[in-house]
Amino acid sequence: MRDAVDQEVDTTASRQLRRAVDFLAAVRFMVEAGFHPHAGGTTLRLAEVFATRMARSKDGHVPFSAEATARMLGLKRRAVFNHTRYLRELGLIAYVEHGSKRNVLRSRYGAKWTKEHGYRGTATLFAAVAPRVWDEAMGRRIRGQGYGARMTGVTPAGRILAVAGAEDRRRQHAGGQPRRPVDNSRPCTPSVGVPQPRTTGAVDGGIRDRTRERACREKKYRQHRGKGSTNWSAARAASAMQEARSVRLHTWWTQGSCVRQLAYALRPCFEAGWTWEEVARELARWTVPLRPRHVASYVASELRRRANTGELHLPDGLVAPYRQPETSTWDDGTTPHGPRYTAMQAFKARTYRPAAARAAAALTNTRWRVTRQRQPAQERPAQESRIPGAHPENVQLTRQEFASLVENSPPVPAGETLWAQAEEATEHRLEAECRRGTWEYQPPTPPEPR
């Protein structure tokens, strides 16, 4: 079913499944039969993850998170999306609700929403379904169409397949080994032990009167709780169970739980004088998204949490308070911070001693440099000059000394004179290099006439 319209719960041609065993069987059949060219082993792994989540919902709905599923299977998000699409096209899952990034808490509280309420998006929900092809191959009789169709029976061929499947499951449960018949040849069952005569011989071979030693030993009696210590009579407990039964009928996520355990968890509310209508109204405010694994434990822990946080007002003494950690009085040790702070500082010194020493040295050096830069520059004391009138020595000269140096020094060439001298020196150097590189005979020149 490649059309997205056929992949919704309202429009799918597959029927609803509530058991993970049936869902996995349908997935294996559709994948191994080759109805989809791209479905394979990874698709089966993804279906097993979905099957483990089916038990959280009474309708077989599966919450889907691409990031969590990718981490669980070690795949990329794109691979998870692809194999989820294969299951939808095979008619094995259908959309119940499309996920959204919109903050549902803002929609719930409306104008009363604040930043403290936080953010919560909407998750994608899939429903496990069985395609009609698998039902026909297994020989099942189906009444109705679409998601609301129900199985009403099996055909003769389906009965044969069901018996064969039951035999396979029995062999797998037994480990593949045939069961051996019980040996009833003994005069008594294995659970009954033949009485043996009492002996007083010790393990090491000596004789010890263990009976007398046990009689002289100090007796330690177990502390048993007296009857009626909870101040609940049998009639009151039965009445609480009747109230809990009504609460269970009006609260969807408590249905199927043990009435006795639920009544015991709701005792604080019943002792406070609540009726079953008030208890059911309070449980409806909890917005439980999934069915708890153990309803009574969840109710007891949630009542205790809400009573201790102030969300639920019950008389004092009905709910046990949380045990608060002991607070330090800051004077219970040799230091003003207490022994725990001293132990923590000692642990840090042992663990981070080299790094702390380097950091402290670097911090000291940095502080010294910053302090030196911020201080004004101090004037250095003037040194004694060897030349009278020099301030300081060899740096500043007197006018007389400067005039004598100018008179006795040759003029400094500059401008065109400096360029002319540089060109002349360059030509002289090139002529010298040419003479060394070439040799030419030149006759001596005749003497000049007088």
Side-chain angles (χ1 to χ4, degrees):
M1 297 183 294
R2 298 185 181 274
D3 193 357
V5 179
D6 299 334
Q7 299 175 5
E8 303 289 337
V9 170
D10 300 334
T11 58
T12 183
S14 304
R15 67 180 178 90
Q16 180 186 12
L17 290 179
R18 290 186 174 89
R19 297 199 312 163
V21 178
D22 298 338
F23 175 67
L24 290 177
V27 172
R28 292 192 186 97
F29 173 81
M30 298 296 290
V31 173
E32 293 175 357
F35 285 99
H36 201 289
H38 302 295
T42 307
T43 311
L44 294 176
R45 292 176 56 198
L46 180 61
E48 292 176 356
V49 173
F50 286 169
T52 56
R53 301 175 184 173
M54 288 179 60
R56 305 177 185 178
S57 173
K58 63 183 181 65
D59 298 323
H61 295 173
V62 179
F64 176 68
S65 174
E67 291 77 7
T69 308
R71 288 194 304 268
M72 186 180 302
L73 297 177
L75 301 173
K76 299 292 185 181
R77 294 178 72 255
R78 179 52 53 190
V80 173
F81 286 131
N82 289 337
H83 289 277
T84 306
R85 176 167 53 85
Y86 302 158
L87 292 176
R88 294 200 313 269
E89 293 176 353
L90 287 173
L92 295 169
I93 58 176
Y95 277 110
V96 177
E97 183 176 355
H98 291 268
S100 174
K101 296 294 184 180
R102 183 181 58 185
N103 191 356
V104 295
L105 296 180
R106 184 185 288 271
S107 302
R108 179 185 302 174
Y109 292 101
K112 298 181 180 179
W113 181 87
T114 59
K115 294 183 179 180
E116 286 73 14
H117 290 99
Y119 167 82
R120 183 184 299 171
T122 305
T124 300
L125 291 180
F126 286 118
V129 292
R132 184 58 66 93
V133 178
W134 177 65
D135 288 332
E136 293 177 355
M138 295 293 105
R140 294 188 173 93
R141 293 190 177 97
I142 306 300
R143 177 180 297 177
Q145 298 291 333
Y147 186 73
R150 294 293 179 264
M151 186 180 69
T152 58
V154 293
T155 61
R159 187 176 293 105
I160 296 175
L161 293 176
V163 172
E167 290 291 335
D168 294 339
R169 289 192 295 272
R170 186 184 63 81
R171 293 193 193 95
Q172 293 177 2
H173 183 72
Q177 298 179 358
R179 296 183 179 180
R180 298 179 181 179
V182 180
D183 186 10
N184 295 326
S185 59
R186 298 179 61 184
C188 60
T189 60
S191 61
V192 178
V194 180
Q196 301 293 334
R198 179 176 297 179
T199 59
T200 59
V203 179
D204 54 358
I207 304 299
R208 294 184 62 183
D209 193 353
R210 297 183 182 275
T211 306
R212 185 63 182 172
E213 180 182 357
R214 188 180 299 108
C216 297
R217 189 182 304 166
E218 182 180 0
K219 296 180 175 60
K220 296 181 180 179
Y221 297 97
R222 295 180 58 186
Q223 297 294 335
H224 293 281
R225 189 179 65 180
K227 295 183 178 179
S229 59
T230 59
N231 298 326
W232 278 69
S233 61
R236 190 178 181 186
S239 176
M241 292 175 59
Q242 186 65 28
E243 297 283 331
R245 186 175 289 104
S246 301
V247 172
R248 189 180 65 172
L249 290 174
H250 290 78
T251 309
W252 70 268
W253 52 270
T254 60
Q255 297 174 3
S257 61
C258 178
V259 178
R260 187 182 299 274
Q261 295 177 358
L262 183 60
Y264 187 82
L266 292 174
R267 276 190 179 186
C269 299
F270 294 146
E271 285 188 351
W274 290 18
T275 61
W276 71 265
E277 292 91 348
E278 296 174 346
V279 175
R281 194 179 300 112
E282 176 63 27
L283 297 184
R285 296 194 189 101
W286 291 2
T287 63
V288 181
L290 299 174
R291 184 188 300 275
R293 181 172 297 180
H294 197 280
V295 177
S297 300
Y298 175 76
V299 170
S301 62
E302 189 68 12
L303 285 176
R304 185 182 180 188
R305 185 189 70 81
R306 289 176 177 267
N308 283 277
T309 55
E311 301 178 15
L312 184 64
H313 299 285
L314 292 174
D316 297 338
L318 297 182
V319 179
Y322 285 135
R323 184 168 53 186
Q324 301 294 336
E326 297 181 359
T327 57
S328 176
T329 58
W330 302 100
D331 57 354
D332 50 357
T334 57
T335 62
H337 300 288
R340 182 175 177 273
Y341 181 81
T342 306
M344 181 181 65
Q345 294 298 330
F347 170 76
K348 288 184 177 180
R350 290 193 308 269
T351 307
Y352 309 107
R353 185 176 300 164
R358 291 194 298 269
L363 180 60
T364 304
N365 189 14
T366 304
R367 287 178 176 175
W368 176 77
R369 291 183 178 180
V370 172
T371 306
R372 186 178 180 183
Q373 291 177 0
R374 289 181 178 178
Q375 290 179 353
Q378 299 179 358
E379 297 181 357
R380 298 181 182 179
Q383 299 179 358
E384 296 182 359
S385 178
R386 298 179 182 178
I387 304 175
H391 309 284
E393 182 183 6
N394 298 332
V395 176
Q396 293 180 359
L397 302 177
T398 62
R399 289 187 177 183
Q400 293 78 8
E401 293 173 348
F402 185 76
S404 62
L405 288 175
V406 170
E407 292 176 358
N408 301 328
S409 300
V412 179
E416 297 180 358
T417 305
L418 181 61
W419 284 108
Q421 292 180 2
E423 291 178 357
E424 185 179 356
T426 303
E427 293 177 359
H428 180 72
R429 180 173 56 81
L430 293 176
E431 290 178 0
E433 291 178 358
C434 291
R435 291 195 197 99
R436 288 195 300 268
T438 59
W439 182 84
E440 182 181 357
Y441 174 76
Q442 295 180 0
T445 56
E448 295 181 359
R450 293 180 180 177

